[in-house]
Amino acid sequence: MNADQLPPAAPEVTATLVETLSPRLRKRLDAAVTKLGARPAHRDGDTVTIQVDDESELRLHAPGGVVARVEDITCGCLLAPACVHRAAAACAAPTADQATEPAEQPAPKTPEPTGATEPDAAAPQETASDAQRTAADALWAAGAAVLEAGVDGAGAVTQSALLRAAHTARLRRLPRAAAAALSVVTLLRAARTGDPSYRTADLVTALAELLGTARRVGTASGAELAAVCGRARRPYSPDGSLRLYGLFTEPVVTDSGHGGVRTWVAGGDGRLFTVGDVAPGGAGRALGVADRAVRLGDSALTHRELGRAGLAVSGATVSPDGRLGAGKGVKAVTARGAAWTEPPLAALWEAPPAEQAARALRAVSRYAEPDGGGSDLLFLDVELLGAVREPGGACLLARCAGGVPVRLTVADDDPALPHRDNLALLAAAPGTRLRIIGRLVPAPHPRLTLLACSHPTGEGTVDLGLDRLRRADLPDPKARVHLAPAQPAGSGAASPLYLLERRVEQTVPAGRAALGLLGDVTAEARRIRRGGLPTAADLLIALCAAAGRRERDLFGRLLPADTDGFAAHWLAAARYTAAVSEALCSAAWNPADAAPTGDAPTGGAPADDGPAPVSPPARAHAV
């Protein structure tokens, strides 16, 4: 049995079952979760049955797809209902976030105004209520406990405390902080089960978001408080009539088991919108959905066709992140599209790359405010230079306006999608000039994941995640992969910031105690100061000092560690490193800072059996 076979369990269900266990059973809970994962399970409608042993069965009843009540988990063993099996099943099941709107939900019909207002539509509060402050304090304490214990020590009991705090925060209208807590729980489970998609950097970001949001609840007011609280559901607001022009379609395949497509369109004023179809499934569903009709009005266009055609929409509804609603009041008919070189689409490529990168960086910032709007796409005219070797493989190097060298990587490494093959073929066409669309990758050097490009022959466009290029499409069909000249690593490559970053990341898997054993970090701090980052040096010293500080009472006994103080120092270091990394990324796109192209090759000749491999990106974790 694996977690995918179990229905999602509401956070309060898991928290309640764990809290009712005796102290003795809580100590056995992690082992029970592991043991339960090795037992066979089968689904029958809304019920999943797990064979605990030869005589006992455990049942999870999930009407509507979610285990919403404690009574929906039953066990047939002699100790039930006070047994450890029910809590273990809830801890093994994915966490349900029932208050969050699905990724591609049609916009509801706008209700008539009434005397009462919905909570999300109410006027912003001036300051947080006492109940909200209490809920935020509980979230802070639960997050600090995770940081204290590290991944290895943050078992089911620690996770249940986070789930309880998340449920309370949701009831107190703090959905942003509650969502961050659920993300931390999901990543902790992925780390403890050895999920290959888990990355420590993701858990660092989730923990910093949780702690930072919980801390700001008590100090924010007015509009800032509304942003800190967040929204439980994505609002769709009326946007009248829109004339839309298709740009491209990209497949969406996530580690959460969802698959589908997202089609990007632009309005006459240059605003970007998306029309998506994402549901449980993998790469196969993504490829199949691309040829299904778009769920928007009466249009008969498929997603592939919409990426090259146009739409006239009346009664449009749009979410803050640009998703088009598909409610009953929305009407859409097929219209003429526009080439990338024709207005109004051509204007997207006229903005300087540095300006586009700054805008995209605000959208992909690790701690961006929700509903901040903006797009992470860049529209560039480039000249291909060839493949460059990197530690993870190779990527395609191109030169954009101002002579800035840009590394282009695959958007998804799934072998069922043509991303990698297409990028490898483009590496065999140095000197080709293309108009491209890519997604910014925050890095100390200009870097994009390549999503779409103009056809190498100059006719039409290519959706690189759905369409397959052939050698006959290249200017020289017999061309081999070309290795571009060596490139400097970027303005931020020599920055000693990594000395602080690795200590921030080291805390997450090992906990505070491991950082406290480092001892003197004066040499590292001195090196950081020489690199022009005195604040980073001070943060490193303060972080390590807080990790190793343990007071004693009058009898010489160690007092409990100051988890709150250590969490505050860790949060400051995490947010600082993120801000500096984003500043280095923004500076790398400035033509004045772009380093000239070198002359030395990066390695030997490519192999005869095919193109050089292209380094994969990290796949998205949520729809």
Side-chain angles (χ1 to χ4, degrees):
M1 182 201 75
N2 56 54
D4 295 336
Q5 295 178 274
L6 299 180
E12 62 272 22
V13 172
T14 304
T16 300
L17 288 172
V18 174
E19 290 166 355
T20 57
L21 292 177
S22 65
R24 180 179 63 86
L25 291 180
R26 289 190 187 186
K27 295 179 181 179
R28 297 171 50 190
L29 182 56
D30 290 325
V33 173
T34 302
K35 184 177 179 180
L36 199 65
R39 305 303 300 172
H42 69 273
R43 179 185 292 270
D44 183 11
D46 292 335
T47 302
V48 175
T49 303
I50 304 174
Q51 195 71 34
V52 177
D53 53 39
D54 294 338
E55 300 179 354
S56 304
E57 288 184 342
L58 181 69
R59 289 186 174 87
L60 292 84
H61 183 54
V66 175
V67 179
R69 302 181 307 162
V70 173
E71 296 79 11
D72 290 337
I73 302 180
T74 59
C75 183
C77 73
L78 295 177
L79 296 178
C83 62
V84 74
H85 304 132
R86 299 170 69 216
C91 292
T95 301
D97 189 3
Q98 295 170 281
T100 300
E101 190 176 34
E104 302 292 347
Q105 176 173 322
K109 184 177 180 180
T110 304
E112 296 294 330
T114 61
T117 57
E118 293 295 329
D120 283 345
Q125 299 172 247
E126 288 301 322
T127 58
S129 65
D130 291 340
Q132 287 178 320
R133 293 172 187 268
T134 302
D137 290 343
L139 283 170
W140 172 274
V146 172
L147 206 57
E148 172 75 15
V151 170
D152 293 339
V157 175
T158 302
Q159 294 168 26
S160 72
L162 260 177
L163 293 175
R164 172 60 69 190
H167 176 61
T168 303
R170 183 75 70 183
L171 296 179
R172 301 294 182 263
R173 292 170 53 191
L174 297 175
R176 178 180 176 183
L182 296 183
S183 296
V184 171
V185 172
T186 301
L187 290 168
L188 282 174
R189 291 177 176 178
R192 292 175 63 86
T193 57
D195 189 332
S197 66
Y198 166 77
R199 295 191 309 152
T200 301
D202 293 336
L203 185 51
V204 169
T205 300
L207 265 174
E209 168 70 8
L210 169 62
L211 295 172
T213 304
R215 175 58 61 90
R216 291 174 61 193
V217 168
T219 59
S221 61
E224 182 186 0
L225 178 61
V228 171
C229 292
R231 291 181 181 270
R233 292 186 178 273
R234 183 184 304 111
Y236 283 82
S237 57
D239 206 342
S241 298
L242 297 174
R243 180 66 169 90
L244 304 176
Y245 301 86
L247 281 167
F248 72 100
T249 300
E250 62 170 324
V252 177
V253 183
T254 72
D255 288 320
S256 61
H258 290 74
V261 294
R262 181 187 299 117
T263 299
W264 290 80
V265 296
D269 56 357
R271 287 189 299 162
L272 299 181
F273 306 92
T274 59
V275 182
D277 185 349
V278 181
R285 185 181 188 278
L287 295 174
V289 168
D291 294 315
R292 294 183 188 175
V294 175
R295 296 183 297 181
L296 191 66
D298 300 324
S299 171
L301 292 173
T302 66
H303 282 275
R304 285 181 190 265
E305 294 170 341
L306 176 57
R308 296 174 175 86
L311 279 179
V313 183
S314 62
T317 57
V318 184
S319 71
D321 59 357
R323 304 190 190 200
L324 291 170
K328 294 181 179 179
V330 179
K331 307 297 181 184
V333 295
T334 304
R336 178 187 175 275
W340 288 1
T341 55
E342 299 175 354
L345 299 185
L348 297 172
W349 279 265
E350 295 175 359
E355 179 182 319
Q356 294 190 53
R359 180 256 304 152
L361 193 58
R362 290 192 294 271
V364 301
S365 173
R366 281 182 264 181
Y367 308 109
E369 296 292 346
D371 298 344
S375 166
D376 56 357
L377 300 184
L378 270 69
F379 304 84
L380 303 177
D381 289 306
V382 302
E383 178 186 358
L384 303 183
L385 301 179
V388 289
R389 302 203 180 277
E390 294 184 324
C395 67
L396 177 59
L397 186 70
R399 182 187 294 113
C400 66
V404 177
V406 182
R407 286 172 169 84
L408 307 176
T409 63
V410 295
D412 196 301
D413 199 43
D414 194 303
L417 302 176
H419 281 294
R420 175 176 292 279
D421 294 339
N422 286 336
L423 206 62
L425 279 176
L426 291 176
T432 302
R433 296 182 180 274
L434 297 176
R435 180 158 279 193
I436 67 169
I437 301 176
R439 178 168 287 116
L440 178 70
V441 178
H445 53 266
R447 193 178 190 89
L448 300 176
T449 55
L450 190 57
L451 301 173
C453 68
S454 58
H455 200 280
T457 62
E459 298 180 0
T461 61
V462 181
D463 296 336
L464 293 169
L466 299 173
D467 305 327
R468 286 192 178 274
L469 287 170
R470 294 175 173 80
R471 289 195 177 274
D473 296 324
L474 303 180
D476 182 3
K478 298 181 180 180
R480 298 172 60 192
V481 173
H482 175 74
L483 288 179
Q487 297 295 314
S491 59
S495 170
L497 183 67
Y498 77 93
L499 294 172
L500 177 60
E501 285 179 325
R502 72 179 181 181
R503 299 310 179 194
V504 170
E505 291 195 1
Q506 183 180 5
T507 308
V508 172
R512 179 197 56 80
L515 200 62
L517 296 175
L518 290 178
D520 188 14
V521 292
T522 304
E524 292 184 9
R526 188 181 302 114
R527 181 178 175 185
I528 294 175
R529 290 185 191 278
R530 287 200 302 266
L533 298 173
T535 303
D538 293 339
L539 287 172
L540 176 62
I541 293 175
L543 177 65
C544 294
R549 186 181 301 119
R550 292 292 302 273
E551 303 293 340
R552 294 181 180 271
D553 61 13
L554 295 176
F555 298 99
R557 294 171 298 191
L558 283 174
L559 296 174
D562 182 11
T563 57
D564 288 346
F566 175 71
H569 283 94
W570 182 88
L571 176 60
R575 296 299 293 264
Y576 175 85
T577 55
V580 174
S581 296
E582 291 170 6
L584 292 174
C585 176
S586 180
W589 284 89
N590 192 330
D593 298 333
T597 302
D599 295 326
T602 58
D608 293 332
D609 55 352
V614 186
S615 57
R619 185 178 291 173
H621 292 277
V623 177

